[in-house]
Amino acid sequence: MGLHHRNLINTLDFSLDEQNGLLGLAQRIIASPAAYGRVLEGRIMASLFFEPSTRTRLSFESAALRLGGQVIGFSEAGSSSAAKGESLGDTVRVVNHYADLIVIRHPKEGAALAASQASAVPVINAGDGGREHPTQTLADLLTIRSVKGGFDGLTVGCCGDLLYGRTVHSLVKNLGRYPGVSFVFISPEELRIPEALRAFLHGRGARYTETRGMEEAMPLLDVLYMTRVQRERFASEQDYLRLKDLYILDGAKLRHGRPDLCVLHPLPRVNEIAPEVDGDPRAAYFEQARYGVYARMALLAMLSGAEPGLPAAGERRSSPRPAKIEIPCQNPRCITSAEPALSPAFYLQDAETRCWCAYCESGVTL
Ligand code: NCD
């Protein structure tokens, strides 16, 4: 750790080789957990959760403890100094003296990036608003790899809230890198996958289709990724109520699925998977939570430098070109709107007439 430490902020921060190495390490930990019981000995992980969580926080804490590390942190913004008006940057600078690694969840988009800029120790994004959730993706990938044997050529259905569902955003970006993976996006018009993500897939030549109908999609799928409608990100409660019950996977719908379908859900579920599905051998969402611990163990071991496989930041590919514009980001959910000390930063897109915010990635036309 130190000047050139690595972070995990975006799901594409690790190259495919690095990621495959991490998944391989996770599988070795599953095979012989005792061999890794002292990997984080003498190290402290801080979990800074400004937004509610059960799985992600507890699975990180469990991962650190299982590696022999120790854990400090808070589980809601109200119990941290943020409630007194402290900036995120200040919180991070202080925690740098207390911990060797920081895991952060925050309701603002780009918060993890902002935290990493203030940090001298590795920062892991455990969810920044509706934007990304890269460690859930590691859990998802480890599950898919274990159940399906690999990724190449898979048809992956994503169903529900594809607009606000950050787990879907990270998963789709990441899986789009593997050869022959295609997607079926199942959602109402209002909760369609964001335009930027569609453009991303297009740019990579990844195939996708969009539909409203779950039944017609079912027989096509190798993996079905169900999601919760993200109530906390809706501007209007009425819209939430109108859309929340659109997709419910029950026994009758599952009958349209292939015998080797793998059903995933990042959890928590509300009602989008009926309990009767839990006993079906195709339901893998509780296993997915188990794999999440091993994926996070591998991540902590690699980011702390205890296990090899992540070259220092300086040796990696160059960053995108900065755009010199003096306007603030217009996205009210962006961390730059909440942290006065952060200067706005934009990157140029290829066309030079569009750029995107370095924090929340929303686009601006020049
Ligand atoms: C997800 C999240 O927080 O984005 N949960 C998780 O981390 N396992 C999904 C959700 O809250 O719906």
PDB file of all heavy atoms in Angstrom, residues 293-320:
ATOM      1  N   VAL A 293     -18.739 -13.417  -0.081  1.00  0.00           N
ATOM      2  CA  VAL A 293     -17.717 -13.347   0.970  1.00  0.00           C
ATOM      3  C   VAL A 293     -16.351 -13.735   0.388  1.00  0.00           C
ATOM      4  O   VAL A 293     -15.340 -13.068   0.618  1.00  0.00           O
ATOM      5  CB  VAL A 293     -18.071 -14.267   2.156  1.00  0.00           C
ATOM      6  CG1 VAL A 293     -16.985 -14.198   3.229  1.00  0.00           C
ATOM      7  CG2 VAL A 293     -19.419 -13.877   2.749  1.00  0.00           C
ATOM      8  N   TYR A 294     -16.330 -14.807  -0.423  1.00  0.00           N
ATOM      9  CA  TYR A 294     -15.043 -15.265  -0.970  1.00  0.00           C
ATOM     10  C   TYR A 294     -14.493 -14.275  -1.995  1.00  0.00           C
ATOM     11  O   TYR A 294     -13.285 -14.044  -2.070  1.00  0.00           O
ATOM     12  CB  TYR A 294     -15.200 -16.663  -1.584  1.00  0.00           C
ATOM     13  CG  TYR A 294     -15.517 -17.690  -0.534  1.00  0.00           C
ATOM     14  CD1 TYR A 294     -16.790 -18.268  -0.440  1.00  0.00           C
ATOM     15  CD2 TYR A 294     -14.549 -18.061   0.405  1.00  0.00           C
ATOM     16  CE1 TYR A 294     -17.077 -19.190   0.545  1.00  0.00           C
ATOM     17  CE2 TYR A 294     -14.835 -18.983   1.395  1.00  0.00           C
ATOM     18  CZ  TYR A 294     -16.102 -19.546   1.460  1.00  0.00           C
ATOM     19  OH  TYR A 294     -16.379 -20.451   2.448  1.00  0.00           O
ATOM     20  N   ALA A 295     -15.398 -13.688  -2.781  1.00  0.00           N
ATOM     21  CA  ALA A 295     -14.942 -12.693  -3.764  1.00  0.00           C
ATOM     22  C   ALA A 295     -14.323 -11.504  -3.024  1.00  0.00           C
ATOM     23  O   ALA A 295     -13.285 -10.967  -3.424  1.00  0.00           O
ATOM     24  CB  ALA A 295     -16.116 -12.234  -4.627  1.00  0.00           C
ATOM     25  N   ARG A 296     -14.935 -11.109  -1.921  1.00  0.00           N
ATOM     26  CA  ARG A 296     -14.413  -9.957  -1.160  1.00  0.00           C
ATOM     27  C   ARG A 296     -13.133 -10.327  -0.419  1.00  0.00           C
ATOM     28  O   ARG A 296     -12.240  -9.492  -0.262  1.00  0.00           O
ATOM     29  CB  ARG A 296     -15.495  -9.427  -0.216  1.00  0.00           C
ATOM     30  CG  ARG A 296     -16.627  -8.781  -1.013  1.00  0.00           C
ATOM     31  CD  ARG A 296     -17.735  -8.184  -0.187  1.00  0.00           C
ATOM     32  NE  ARG A 296     -18.640  -7.467  -1.056  1.00  0.00           N
ATOM     33  CZ  ARG A 296     -19.856  -7.887  -1.426  1.00  0.00           C
ATOM     34  NH1 ARG A 296     -20.346  -9.029  -0.956  1.00  0.00           N
ATOM     35  NH2 ARG A 296     -20.598  -7.161  -2.241  1.00  0.00           N
ATOM     36  N   MET A 297     -13.020 -11.573   0.018  1.00  0.00           N
ATOM     37  CA  MET A 297     -11.752 -12.007   0.629  1.00  0.00           C
ATOM     38  C   MET A 297     -10.623 -11.880  -0.395  1.00  0.00           C
ATOM     39  O   MET A 297      -9.543 -11.363  -0.092  1.00  0.00           O
ATOM     40  CB  MET A 297     -11.856 -13.458   1.119  1.00  0.00           C
ATOM     41  CG  MET A 297     -12.685 -13.615   2.377  1.00  0.00           C
ATOM     42  SD  MET A 297     -12.974 -15.351   2.811  1.00  0.00           S
ATOM     43  CE  MET A 297     -11.439 -15.770   3.649  1.00  0.00           C
ATOM     44  N   ALA A 298     -10.880 -12.345  -1.602  1.00  0.00           N
ATOM     45  CA  ALA A 298      -9.847 -12.272  -2.646  1.00  0.00           C
ATOM     46  C   ALA A 298      -9.502 -10.813  -2.939  1.00  0.00           C
ATOM     47  O   ALA A 298      -8.330 -10.448  -3.087  1.00  0.00           O
ATOM     48  CB  ALA A 298     -10.333 -12.981  -3.910  1.00  0.00           C
ATOM     49  N   LEU A 299     -10.516  -9.972  -2.985  1.00  0.00           N
ATOM     50  CA  LEU A 299     -10.288  -8.553  -3.270  1.00  0.00           C
ATOM     51  C   LEU A 299      -9.445  -7.897  -2.175  1.00  0.00           C
ATOM     52  O   LEU A 299      -8.476  -7.173  -2.461  1.00  0.00           O
ATOM     53  CB  LEU A 299     -11.642  -7.843  -3.403  1.00  0.00           C
ATOM     54  CG  LEU A 299     -11.587  -6.337  -3.586  1.00  0.00           C
ATOM     55  CD1 LEU A 299     -10.931  -5.973  -4.920  1.00  0.00           C
ATOM     56  CD2 LEU A 299     -12.989  -5.724  -3.507  1.00  0.00           C
ATOM     57  N   LEU A 300      -9.812  -8.138  -0.919  1.00  0.00           N
ATOM     58  CA  LEU A 300      -9.060  -7.539   0.193  1.00  0.00           C
ATOM     59  C   LEU A 300      -7.613  -8.038   0.190  1.00  0.00           C
ATOM     60  O   LEU A 300      -6.672  -7.263   0.407  1.00  0.00           O
ATOM     61  CB  LEU A 300      -9.722  -7.879   1.537  1.00  0.00           C
ATOM     62  CG  LEU A 300     -11.108  -7.264   1.790  1.00  0.00           C
ATOM     63  CD1 LEU A 300     -11.705  -7.804   3.095  1.00  0.00           C
ATOM     64  CD2 LEU A 300     -11.016  -5.739   1.858  1.00  0.00           C
ATOM     65  N   ALA A 301      -7.434  -9.324  -0.078  1.00  0.00           N
ATOM     66  CA  ALA A 301      -6.079  -9.892  -0.077  1.00  0.00           C
ATOM     67  C   ALA A 301      -5.239  -9.249  -1.182  1.00  0.00           C
ATOM     68  O   ALA A 301      -4.064  -8.931  -0.971  1.00  0.00           O
ATOM     69  CB  ALA A 301      -6.153 -11.405  -0.270  1.00  0.00           C
ATOM     70  N   MET A 302      -5.839  -9.031  -2.339  1.00  0.00           N
ATOM     71  CA  MET A 302      -5.071  -8.464  -3.453  1.00  0.00           C
ATOM     72  C   MET A 302      -4.832  -6.965  -3.279  1.00  0.00           C
ATOM     73  O   MET A 302      -3.735  -6.473  -3.501  1.00  0.00           O
ATOM     74  CB  MET A 302      -5.766  -8.764  -4.788  1.00  0.00           C
ATOM     75  CG  MET A 302      -5.582 -10.233  -5.185  1.00  0.00           C
ATOM     76  SD  MET A 302      -6.531 -10.730  -6.632  1.00  0.00           S
ATOM     77  CE  MET A 302      -5.531 -10.087  -7.956  1.00  0.00           C
ATOM     78  N   LEU A 303      -5.855  -6.227  -2.879  1.00  0.00           N
ATOM     79  CA  LEU A 303      -5.682  -4.773  -2.738  1.00  0.00           C
ATOM     80  C   LEU A 303      -4.716  -4.420  -1.604  1.00  0.00           C
ATOM     81  O   LEU A 303      -4.028  -3.413  -1.664  1.00  0.00           O
ATOM     82  CB  LEU A 303      -7.029  -4.090  -2.471  1.00  0.00           C
ATOM     83  CG  LEU A 303      -7.890  -3.755  -3.669  1.00  0.00           C
ATOM     84  CD1 LEU A 303      -9.145  -3.018  -3.212  1.00  0.00           C
ATOM     85  CD2 LEU A 303      -7.154  -2.905  -4.692  1.00  0.00           C
ATOM     86  N   SER A 304      -4.674  -5.258  -0.574  1.00  0.00           N
ATOM     87  CA  SER A 304      -3.760  -4.980   0.541  1.00  0.00           C
ATOM     88  C   SER A 304      -2.330  -5.341   0.157  1.00  0.00           C
ATOM     89  O   SER A 304      -1.394  -5.040   0.894  1.00  0.00           O
ATOM     90  CB  SER A 304      -4.180  -5.786   1.774  1.00  0.00           C
ATOM     91  OG  SER A 304      -3.952  -7.159   1.514  1.00  0.00           O
ATOM     92  N   GLY A 305      -2.165  -6.023  -0.962  1.00  0.00           N
ATOM     93  CA  GLY A 305      -0.824  -6.409  -1.410  1.00  0.00           C
ATOM     94  C   GLY A 305      -0.388  -7.734  -0.814  1.00  0.00           C
ATOM     95  O   GLY A 305       0.694  -8.238  -1.123  1.00  0.00           O
ATOM     96  N   ALA A 306      -1.231  -8.334   0.037  1.00  0.00           N
ATOM     97  CA  ALA A 306      -0.862  -9.602   0.661  1.00  0.00           C
ATOM     98  C   ALA A 306      -0.806 -10.727  -0.374  1.00  0.00           C
ATOM     99  O   ALA A 306      -0.069 -11.687  -0.224  1.00  0.00           O
ATOM    100  CB  ALA A 306      -1.848  -9.952   1.769  1.00  0.00           C
ATOM    101  N   GLU A 307      -1.612 -10.630  -1.415  1.00  0.00           N
ATOM    102  CA  GLU A 307      -1.582 -11.601  -2.522  1.00  0.00           C
ATOM    103  C   GLU A 307      -1.223 -10.833  -3.790  1.00  0.00           C
ATOM    104  O   GLU A 307      -1.695  -9.716  -3.995  1.00  0.00           O
ATOM    105  CB  GLU A 307      -2.953 -12.251  -2.696  1.00  0.00           C
ATOM    106  CG  GLU A 307      -3.333 -13.243  -1.628  1.00  0.00           C
ATOM    107  CD  GLU A 307      -2.583 -14.569  -1.749  1.00  0.00           C
ATOM    108  OE1 GLU A 307      -2.342 -15.028  -2.886  1.00  0.00           O
ATOM    109  OE2 GLU A 307      -2.234 -15.132  -0.685  1.00  0.00           O
ATOM    110  N   PRO A 308      -0.388 -11.423  -4.656  1.00  0.00           N
ATOM    111  CA  PRO A 308       0.023 -10.709  -5.874  1.00  0.00           C
ATOM    112  C   PRO A 308      -1.103 -10.650  -6.900  1.00  0.00           C
ATOM    113  O   PRO A 308      -2.150 -11.250  -6.710  1.00  0.00           O
ATOM    114  CB  PRO A 308       1.171 -11.575  -6.398  1.00  0.00           C
ATOM    115  CG  PRO A 308       0.884 -12.942  -5.866  1.00  0.00           C
ATOM    116  CD  PRO A 308       0.171 -12.770  -4.561  1.00  0.00           C
ATOM    117  N   GLY A 309      -0.888  -9.922  -7.985  1.00  0.00           N
ATOM    118  CA  GLY A 309      -1.853  -9.942  -9.086  1.00  0.00           C
ATOM    119  C   GLY A 309      -2.354  -8.575  -9.492  1.00  0.00           C
ATOM    120  O   GLY A 309      -2.990  -8.442 -10.526  1.00  0.00           O
ATOM    121  N   LEU A 310      -2.058  -7.535  -8.669  1.00  0.00           N
ATOM    122  CA  LEU A 310      -2.477  -6.194  -9.061  1.00  0.00           C
ATOM    123  C   LEU A 310      -1.243  -5.296  -9.157  1.00  0.00           C
ATOM    124  O   LEU A 310      -0.712  -4.856  -8.137  1.00  0.00           O
ATOM    125  CB  LEU A 310      -3.454  -5.598  -8.031  1.00  0.00           C
ATOM    126  CG  LEU A 310      -4.846  -6.190  -7.960  1.00  0.00           C
ATOM    127  CD1 LEU A 310      -5.650  -5.506  -6.855  1.00  0.00           C
ATOM    128  CD2 LEU A 310      -5.590  -6.066  -9.286  1.00  0.00           C
ATOM    129  N   PRO A 311      -0.760  -5.014 -10.364  1.00  0.00           N
ATOM    130  CA  PRO A 311       0.375  -4.102 -10.484  1.00  0.00           C
ATOM    131  C   PRO A 311       0.027  -2.715  -9.968  1.00  0.00           C
ATOM    132  O   PRO A 311      -1.155  -2.351  -9.915  1.00  0.00           O
ATOM    133  CB  PRO A 311       0.662  -4.077 -11.986  1.00  0.00           C
ATOM    134  CG  PRO A 311      -0.518  -4.660 -12.652  1.00  0.00           C
ATOM    135  CD  PRO A 311      -1.279  -5.472 -11.644  1.00  0.00           C
ATOM    136  N   ALA A 312       1.036  -1.944  -9.570  1.00  0.00           N
ATOM    137  CA  ALA A 312       0.792  -0.598  -9.030  1.00  0.00           C
ATOM    138  C   ALA A 312       0.090   0.275 -10.054  1.00  0.00           C
ATOM    139  O   ALA A 312       0.201   0.054 -11.263  1.00  0.00           O
ATOM    140  CB  ALA A 312       2.110   0.028  -8.620  1.00  0.00           C
ATOM    141  N   ALA A 313      -0.628   1.268  -9.547  1.00  0.00           N
ATOM    142  CA  ALA A 313      -1.473   2.106 -10.409  1.00  0.00           C
ATOM    143  C   ALA A 313      -0.686   2.762 -11.537  1.00  0.00           C
ATOM    144  O   ALA A 313      -1.165   2.859 -12.666  1.00  0.00           O
ATOM    145  CB  ALA A 313      -2.145   3.177  -9.563  1.00  0.00           C
ATOM    146  N   GLY A 314       0.535   3.216 -11.246  1.00  0.00           N
ATOM    147  CA  GLY A 314       1.336   3.952 -12.212  1.00  0.00           C
ATOM    148  C   GLY A 314       1.651   3.158 -13.469  1.00  0.00           C
ATOM    149  O   GLY A 314       1.892   3.724 -14.533  1.00  0.00           O
ATOM    150  N   GLU A 315       1.633   1.822 -13.369  1.00  0.00           N
ATOM    151  CA  GLU A 315       2.010   0.989 -14.515  1.00  0.00           C
ATOM    152  C   GLU A 315       0.847   0.734 -15.447  1.00  0.00           C
ATOM    153  O   GLU A 315       0.963   0.008 -16.421  1.00  0.00           O
ATOM    154  CB  GLU A 315       2.529  -0.373 -14.016  1.00  0.00           C
ATOM    155  CG  GLU A 315       3.759  -0.264 -13.159  1.00  0.00           C
ATOM    156  CD  GLU A 315       3.997  -1.534 -12.354  1.00  0.00           C
ATOM    157  OE1 GLU A 315       3.580  -2.614 -12.793  1.00  0.00           O
ATOM    158  OE2 GLU A 315       4.587  -1.415 -11.268  1.00  0.00           O
ATOM    159  N   ARG A 316      -0.306   1.333 -15.151  1.00  0.00           N
ATOM    160  CA  ARG A 316      -1.499   0.974 -15.917  1.00  0.00           C
ATOM    161  C   ARG A 316      -1.816   1.956 -17.033  1.00  0.00           C
ATOM    162  O   ARG A 316      -1.167   2.976 -17.198  1.00  0.00           O
ATOM    163  CB  ARG A 316      -2.681   0.800 -14.981  1.00  0.00           C
ATOM    164  CG  ARG A 316      -2.403  -0.326 -13.993  1.00  0.00           C
ATOM    165  CD  ARG A 316      -3.547  -0.570 -13.073  1.00  0.00           C
ATOM    166  NE  ARG A 316      -4.732  -0.994 -13.792  1.00  0.00           N
ATOM    167  CZ  ARG A 316      -5.830  -0.275 -13.863  1.00  0.00           C
ATOM    168  NH1 ARG A 316      -5.888   0.919 -13.317  1.00  0.00           N
ATOM    169  NH2 ARG A 316      -6.883  -0.743 -14.496  1.00  0.00           N
ATOM    170  N   ARG A 317      -2.850   1.590 -17.805  1.00  0.00           N
ATOM    171  CA  ARG A 317      -3.236   2.379 -18.974  1.00  0.00           C
ATOM    172  C   ARG A 317      -3.503   3.849 -18.629  1.00  0.00           C
ATOM    173  O   ARG A 317      -3.828   4.185 -17.504  1.00  0.00           O
ATOM    174  CB  ARG A 317      -4.472   1.751 -19.633  1.00  0.00           C
ATOM    175  CG  ARG A 317      -5.666   1.756 -18.703  1.00  0.00           C
ATOM    176  CD  ARG A 317      -6.808   0.973 -19.331  1.00  0.00           C
ATOM    177  NE  ARG A 317      -7.648   0.379 -18.326  1.00  0.00           N
ATOM    178  CZ  ARG A 317      -8.506   1.046 -17.558  1.00  0.00           C
ATOM    179  NH1 ARG A 317      -8.627   2.341 -17.671  1.00  0.00           N
ATOM    180  NH2 ARG A 317      -9.239   0.429 -16.663  1.00  0.00           N
ATOM    181  N   SER A 318      -3.391   4.698 -19.641  1.00  0.00           N
ATOM    182  CA  SER A 318      -3.545   6.131 -19.388  1.00  0.00           C
ATOM    183  C   SER A 318      -5.018   6.493 -19.179  1.00  0.00           C
ATOM    184  O   SER A 318      -5.915   5.799 -19.635  1.00  0.00           O
ATOM    185  CB  SER A 318      -2.984   6.905 -20.569  1.00  0.00           C
ATOM    186  OG  SER A 318      -3.675   6.506 -21.720  1.00  0.00           O
ATOM    187  N   SER A 319      -5.245   7.629 -18.517  1.00  0.00           N
ATOM    188  CA  SER A 319      -6.613   8.069 -18.223  1.00  0.00           C
ATOM    189  C   SER A 319      -7.215   8.745 -19.447  1.00  0.00           C
ATOM    190  O   SER A 319      -6.489   9.176 -20.340  1.00  0.00           O
ATOM    191  CB  SER A 319      -6.580   9.081 -17.094  1.00  0.00           C
ATOM    192  OG  SER A 319      -5.866   8.561 -16.027  1.00  0.00           O
ATOM    193  N   PRO A 320      -8.553   8.938 -19.482  1.00  0.00           N
ATOM    194  CA  PRO A 320      -9.157   9.695 -20.577  1.00  0.00           C
ATOM    195  C   PRO A 320      -8.740  11.166 -20.541  1.00  0.00           C
ATOM    196  O   PRO A 320      -8.225  11.650 -19.529  1.00  0.00           O
ATOM    197  CB  PRO A 320     -10.658   9.549 -20.320  1.00  0.00           C
ATOM    198  CG  PRO A 320     -10.800   9.046 -18.938  1.00  0.00           C
ATOM    199  CD  PRO A 320      -9.523   8.407 -18.544  1.00  0.00           C
TER     200      PRO A 320
END
